[in-house]
């Protein structure tokens, strides 16, 4: 994979570890990070060697402390919309990836950082993780999908509270609200994410991609999630992996999925 200036990538046994690498700026998402994330996503979509993905931040302090505020100065309404549109496109691409993507939240996940974590399919937090959408303190609202994904994840009441107060919450509170799936010790964070991805990627890959698509159908306007599930169930039944999965069960052996 090509070298990036703001992102580190490491592919081991089918799992791609992406590290946002701007530790001195608490991994804030400037335009380059967003562009490079987009390029890595193209690679994730097209490279069959990549089975699952972890996104984390460099250093002990931050996952991502938000969009890069230094790039906000003097921005016009049109430029603001364009910035938000770009972020939406990239985060939608994370969400709609057929390959599982886990956020390993290793510290501050504020603003765009919290939005990045929420765009991932699963969030595992270290004990020192902190979450929040402090945009109102700057006179703006979340622009990378935060108002929508937070409401989907934790419900309207608590989402409105966090979005309007700009309050930061710790990992235990985030777990209680359902914002994160699990909280682990910092030293165990990446291994926990890897173990979860190994479990998921040992399943039939086509079925995993259809689970993702079917669940997100619930949130897409004009789409009936139940109809989507019926359609995608049928598609799974037509795969070689379905034949293999059922044969393996009946023959009392472990299935060997070919991803077909
Ligand atoms: N954009 C740009 N730079 C940021 C940043 C952001 N979102 N978050 C942190 N940084 C930079 C700081 O400016 C500082 O850079 P400097 O050393 O060149 O001055 C460096 O990262 C370290 O941050 P600092 O504020 O000194 O660390 P801290 O431990 O005192 O505070 C935070 C940590 C996360 C509480 C604080 O950095 C913060 O509030 N960041 C902004 C969070 C935010 O509003 N995000 C939403 C943006 S839309």
């Amino acid at each position: 994979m090509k070298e990036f200036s703001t992102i580190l990538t490491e592919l081991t046994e089918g799992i791609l570890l992406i590290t946002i690498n701007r530790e001195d700026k608490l991994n804030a998402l400037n335009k380059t990070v967003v562009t490079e994330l987009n390029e890595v996503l193209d690679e994730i979509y097209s490279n069959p060697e990549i089975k699952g993905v972890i996104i984390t931040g460099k250093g002990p302090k931050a996952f991502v402390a938000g969009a890069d505020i230094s790039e906000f100065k003097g921005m016009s309404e049109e430029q603001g919309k364009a910035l938000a549109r770009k972020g939406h496109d990239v985060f939608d691409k994370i969400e709609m990836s057929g390959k599982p993507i886990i956020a390993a939240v290793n510290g501050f996940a504020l603003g765009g950082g919290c939005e990045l974590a929420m765009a991932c399919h699963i969030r595992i937090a270290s004990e020192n993780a902190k979450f929040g959408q402090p945009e109102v303190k700057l006179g703006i609202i979340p622009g990378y999908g935060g108002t929508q994904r937070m409401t989907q994840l934790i419900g309207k009441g608590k989402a409105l509270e966090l979005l309007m107060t700009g309050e930061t919450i710790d990992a235990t509170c985030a777990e209680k609200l359902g914002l994160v799936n699990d909280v682990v010790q910092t030293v165990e964070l990446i291994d926990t994410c890897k173990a979860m991805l190994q479990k998921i990627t040992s399943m039939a890959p086509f079925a995993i991609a259809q689970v993702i698509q079917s669940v997100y159908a619930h949130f897409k306007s004009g789409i009936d999630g139940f109809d989507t599930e019926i359609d995608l169930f049928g598609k799974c039944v037509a795969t070689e992996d379905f034949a293999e999965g059922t044969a393996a069960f009946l023959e009392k052996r472990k299935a060997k999925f070919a991803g077909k």
Side-chain angles (χ1 to χ4, degrees), residues 62-141:
F63 173 68
V64 166
D68 192 318
I69 299 169
S70 68
E71 291 184 340
F72 287 176
K73 209 162 174 270
M75 201 162 49
S76 68
E77 181 174 342
E78 280 315 308
Q79 287 168 328
K81 277 189 193 169
L83 181 88
R85 170 60 57 204
K86 180 85 193 285
H88 271 255
D89 288 348
V90 175
F91 286 14
D92 285 354
K93 219 159 153 180
I94 292 175
E95 188 170 82
M96 290 323 295
S97 154
K99 298 175 184 177
I101 303 184
I102 298 184
V105 184
N106 57 315
F108 287 111
L110 301 177
C114 189
E115 291 172 294
L116 174 61
M118 291 191 294
C120 295
H121 303 129
I122 289 169
R123 285 148 294 285
I124 308 289
S126 59
E127 291 166 320
N128 68 325
K130 292 208 162 41
F131 297 81
Q133 297 289 162
E135 285 86 350
V136 285
K137 294 180 185 169
L138 302 171
I140 49 174
I141 65 169

Side-chain angles (χ1 to χ4, degrees), residues 156-167:
K156 187 170 67 173
K158 271 291 172 187
L160 278 167
E161 181 185 329
L162 290 182
L163 292 163
M164 292 198 292
T165 61
E167 191 189 321

Side-chain angles (χ1 to χ4, degrees), residues 15 52-54 100-103 121-124 181-182 184 188-203 208:
I15 295 174
V53 179
I54 299 169
I101 303 184
I102 298 184
H121 303 129
I122 289 169
R123 285 148 294 285
I124 308 289
N181 299 61
D182 204 0
V184 299
E188 291 172 358
L189 181 62
I190 298 299
D191 282 349
T192 305
C193 295
K194 281 187 179 164
M196 190 177 283
L197 276 179
Q198 271 152 5
K199 197 180 277 184
I200 296 169
T201 57
S202 72
M203 307 298 159
I208 295 300

Side-chain angles (χ1 to χ4, degrees), residues 119-255:
C120 295
H121 303 129
I122 289 169
R123 285 148 294 285
I124 308 289
S126 59
E127 291 166 320
N128 68 325
K130 292 208 162 41
F131 297 81
Q133 297 289 162
E135 285 86 350
V136 285
K137 294 180 185 169
L138 302 171
I140 49 174
I141 65 169
Y144 291 171
T147 61
Q148 303 305 297
R149 292 195 176 98
M150 182 171 276
T151 307
Q152 291 166 358
L153 275 168
I154 68 173
K156 187 170 67 173
K158 271 291 172 187
L160 278 167
E161 181 185 329
L162 290 182
L163 292 163
M164 292 198 292
T165 61
E167 191 189 321
T168 298
I169 55 169
D170 65 18
T172 311
C173 181
E175 187 183 20
K176 207 168 79 187
L177 292 176
L179 191 58
V180 299
N181 299 61
D182 204 0
V183 182
V184 299
Q185 287 182 11
T186 305
V187 286
E188 291 172 358
L189 181 62
I190 298 299
D191 282 349
T192 305
C193 295
K194 281 187 179 164
M196 190 177 283
L197 276 179
Q198 271 152 5
K199 197 180 277 184
I200 296 169
T201 57
S202 72
M203 307 298 159
F206 186 78
I208 295 300
Q210 306 325 299
V211 166
I212 293 169
Q213 204 179 318
S214 196
V215 168
Y216 285 114
H218 176 78
F219 302 106
K220 302 268 181 268
S221 62
I223 292 180
D224 185 313
F226 287 97
D227 284 345
T228 303
E229 184 185 278
I230 291 165
D231 183 43
L232 299 180
F233 178 85
K235 288 197 164 117
C236 288
V237 167
T239 62
E240 286 177 26
D241 280 349
F242 172 63
E244 164 63 9
T246 44
F249 176 80
L250 296 171
E251 291 160 22
K252 301 192 188 306
R253 62 176 172 79
K254 198 172 170 346

